Amino acid sequence: MLEYLKDYPAGDYFDEAVAENNTPRTAAKPLLKQFENTPFNSLQEMQSSAEVAIANMGISFTVYSDKGNIDRLWPFDVFPRTLCSQEWKQISDGLKQRLKALNRFIEDVYNERQIFQAGIMPEEIITSSKDFRPECCGMKLKHNSWASICGSDLVRDVTGKIYVLEDNLRVPSGVSYMLENRAVMKQVMPEVFNDMNILPVDQYPMQLLSMLRSLCPYKTDNPEVVVLTPGIFNSAYYEHAYLAHEMGAELVEGSDLVVLEDNCVYMRNIEGLKRVDVIYRRIDDAFLDPEVFREDSSLGVPGLMRAWKAGKVAIANAPGCGVADDKVVYAYVPDMIRFYLNEEPLIENVPTYLCSREEERNYVLEHLDKLVVKPANESGGYGLLIGPKASMEEIETFRQLIRENPRNYIAQPTLNISTVPTVCDQSLEPRHVDLRPFILLGEKTYVTAGGLTRVALKKGSLVVNSSQGGGSKDTWIVVTEEEN
């Protein structure tokens, strides 16, 4: 064990690197062996080098605030998270199973609605969802692929068990940071990648391009794929530009595209118009097409829904898929897996209370100080109540919100989510983490080797979102000697 980990306070939570008796966990053994002769100040120097690399590479993100948008360098910690490849195989299988069921569900919602007829889920959950799009009814998509790109958030509890915390199905972000984290680590400690068997992540852009091409609704030899961005003021613009560049695809804004009378989508370029076959959109449904959704949208493309419904273009993720990106719907995913696939879920949900159910709502209202309460359709860690850390005033505010609109809230127990050693001023200290792998579903299904580990950099904090003080770590799926 490293000298500076001898007094590491493992034990209160499941630590991903250090077990209760301060011995290395299997996946972390090769890493800690590499660091055996590395003093702590050398780790600090690696941390400084990583921060310089991030600045030089221009890796940034935008935080929205009342005082204006703020561009910040990507917060990163140089001590990686490690998982064994055998465990990752089980997780990967569970994620594929989950996304397959979710896509069957979305297609069912917009067509036969068998899951409601079978009494598995109340239909009003969908008809009351702000992300249900009646305009999508009757659509059937190639490969049943509505949510073609998914980022599922995973957490590990104190016993070491992995749960799915939520599924991000609309325009999930973060994958570019996963890729850049790996690039930074290869700059900072290149020798470690020679000595350890770490699964690569850099094939993601080509996997994404292959999946997008597989969605093309008609036969063509080389489908034209574009990335549709809201523009440079969007918080994820860096990622839009990065992915377009890595795929060799055009990065376009709504004004670059036009739908003509033949219901085909064309891209304006210096040579004239060029037909577009597949659009990887990073714009919310509401802004996608002013002919159908918000009339005041200048971000979308008039007629895009006509083109999509006529089978003249594929859109990923498909319009209307957000109906499954609802924290109330999340509670039913295990039932979806049983209903559509006739299988048992390979990864469990975090236990979830639906405030729309009277008995569960009463329990939530009586235990607000012990639960995490979430609105059904928010993301980015906004609109949460973390009961054990909330003031009485905040608890009373949420009590009123739940009573006014119970459909809009769920509650979950406060999990003691796992920790990873993190470089702090004087030593390595445990900080809480989650993990967002990315799953692609087209002709084939693909799961990244690991994902984006998000870390709550503040001591004791459970909020990992970068917009609220969180950072990130590289995630290493390690083939250990025991697995060889």
Side-chain angles (χ1 to χ4, degrees):
M1 178 59 74
L2 302 177
E3 183 67 27
Y4 43 87
L5 275 177
K6 284 184 177 174
D7 297 324
Y8 184 77
D12 293 340
Y13 307 94
F14 185 101
D15 192 89
E16 301 283 343
V18 184
E20 293 78 3
N21 53 2
N22 271 32
T23 55
R25 295 203 185 273
T26 302
K29 278 182 186 175
L31 171 68
L32 297 181
K33 191 175 179 184
Q34 287 284 331
F35 284 167
E36 221 165 34
N37 298 315
T38 305
F40 181 68
N41 61 1
S42 294
L43 260 186
Q44 290 178 306
E45 289 171 5
M46 291 180 192
Q47 178 66 35
S48 299
S49 299
E51 290 166 2
V52 169
I54 286 169
N56 290 338
M57 294 163 73
I59 308 172
S60 64
F61 72 107
T62 305
V63 177
Y64 297 127
S65 77
D66 295 338
K67 298 175 182 176
N69 300 340
I70 306 166
D71 283 325
R72 291 183 177 165
L73 290 177
W74 180 241
F76 178 72
D77 182 82
V78 77
F79 195 101
R81 177 197 198 144
T82 51
L83 292 100
C84 288
S85 62
Q86 282 183 354
E87 182 184 25
W88 189 250
K89 172 71 169 59
Q90 296 169 5
I91 294 171
S92 178
D93 289 345
L95 293 171
K96 290 177 183 176
Q97 177 195 56
R98 194 174 178 93
L99 188 59
K100 185 177 180 182
L102 280 162
N103 275 280
R104 292 273 187 90
F105 168 73
I106 300 169
E107 182 130 318
D108 191 22
V109 163
Y110 289 117
N111 289 279
E112 292 83 6
R113 301 196 174 184
Q114 294 175 348
I115 196 167
F116 309 126
Q117 294 164 21
I120 307 295
M121 180 192 296
E123 191 165 359
E124 57 264 27
I125 286 178
I126 296 306
T127 53
S128 63
S129 169
K130 75 178 184 64
D131 290 309
F132 173 67
R133 308 290 178 206
E135 299 85 357
C136 299
C137 287
M139 285 295 291
K140 296 211 171 188
L141 300 186
K142 195 174 178 183
H143 309 307
N144 290 125
S145 184
W146 289 74
S148 313
I149 303 134
C150 172
S152 291
D153 293 342
L154 306 179
V155 292
R156 195 195 294 273
D157 74 359
V158 71
T159 68
K161 185 173 181 176
I162 292 278
Y163 294 89
V164 177
L165 185 63
E166 62 184 50
D167 304 291
N168 298 281
L169 300 171
R170 284 172 285 192
V171 281
S173 63
V175 73
S176 64
Y177 299 112
M178 175 196 79
L179 297 166
E180 295 284 36
N181 286 351
R182 179 60 54 86
V184 169
M185 289 297 279
K186 284 186 172 178
Q187 285 190 39
V188 171
M189 48 182 79
E191 69 286 352
V192 176
F193 287 88
N194 290 330
D195 297 339
M196 288 177 59
N197 193 349
I198 302 166
L199 297 188
V201 296
D202 53 6
Q203 68 270 49
Y204 178 82
M206 288 302 104
Q207 291 286 346
L208 176 62
L209 181 62
S210 173
M211 184 279 292
L212 291 168
R213 285 176 168 166
S214 80
L215 300 181
C216 184
Y218 44 84
K219 193 168 182 181
T220 181
D221 291 338
N222 190 21
E224 182 73 30
V225 176
V226 299
V227 179
L228 176 60
T229 175
I232 59 171
F233 297 109
N234 185 270
S235 64
Y237 181 76
Y238 172 85
E239 177 158 300
H240 307 165
Y242 177 90
L243 290 176
H245 178 266
E246 293 298 308
M247 288 193 292
E250 294 288 344
L251 179 67
V252 299
E253 298 185 21
S255 58
D256 297 320
L257 301 180
V258 60
V259 179
L260 299 184
E261 290 183 356
D262 60 0
N263 283 335
C264 295
V265 181
Y266 296 89
M267 170 173 52
R268 296 184 175 95
N269 61 26
I270 55 174
E271 296 170 349
L273 295 177
K274 185 174 186 181
R275 184 166 177 185
V276 172
D277 305 301
V278 181
I279 299 175
Y280 176 25
R281 57 93 175 220
R282 299 296 296 258
I283 293 177
D284 289 340
D285 280 358
F287 300 95
L288 205 52
D289 181 353
E291 281 187 6
V292 176
F293 302 121
R294 285 185 53 158
E295 294 180 1
D296 60 345
S297 172
S298 58
L299 303 177
V301 185
L304 190 54
M305 286 293 287
R306 271 192 286 116
W308 179 66
K309 294 185 77 167
K312 299 295 181 69
V313 71
I315 303 175
N317 284 344
C321 74
V323 74
D325 190 346
D326 178 313
K327 293 180 178 61
V328 175
V329 172
Y330 155 89
Y332 290 92
V333 174
D335 292 330
M336 290 177 201
I337 293 170
R338 296 184 187 100
F339 181 70
Y340 294 113
L341 308 182
N342 197 25
E343 297 172 2
E344 282 300 307
L346 299 176
I347 312 177
E348 292 184 23
N349 273 12
V350 174
T352 301
Y353 303 98
L354 299 182
C355 294
S356 54
R357 294 175 177 164
E358 183 176 1
E359 187 177 344
E360 295 179 28
R361 178 169 67 249
N362 290 338
Y363 178 86
V364 170
L365 292 173
E366 290 171 10
H367 298 86
L368 281 172
D369 60 335
K370 298 178 177 61
L371 298 170
V372 176
V373 181
K374 301 177 179 178
N377 289 293
E378 292 287 347
S379 60
Y382 293 103
L384 295 181
L385 175 79
I386 300 178
K389 295 182 181 296
S391 66
M392 284 305 297
E393 184 180 359
E394 290 169 325
I395 287 175
E396 289 309 312
T397 298
F398 268 77
R399 192 186 306 282
Q400 188 62 29
L401 288 170
I402 291 170
R403 283 176 172 153
E404 289 174 357
N405 187 5
R407 158 65 177 87
N408 194 45
Y409 290 93
I410 66 159
Q412 295 170 328
T414 309
L415 291 182
N416 292 324
I417 61 175
S418 62
T419 58
V420 176
T422 299
V423 179
C424 296
D425 289 343
Q426 303 298 325
S427 62
L428 287 171
E429 295 182 14
R431 293 291 185 267
H432 294 287
V433 293
D434 76 354
L435 177 61
R436 177 176 291 181
F438 295 86
I439 312 105
L440 306 177
L441 189 150
E443 185 177 13
K444 300 174 183 173
T445 309
Y446 168 82
V447 182
T448 51
L452 179 66
T453 288
R454 303 185 300 175
V455 52
L457 294 173
K458 294 177 186 172
K459 187 174 184 178
S461 173
L462 297 172
V463 181
V464 299
N465 306 79
S466 54
S467 56
Q468 300 192 53
S472 71
K473 289 173 169 286
D474 196 11
T475 308
W476 291 1
I477 305 303
V478 180
V479 182
T480 62
E481 289 183 3
E482 290 88 338
E483 294 172 303
N484 276 325

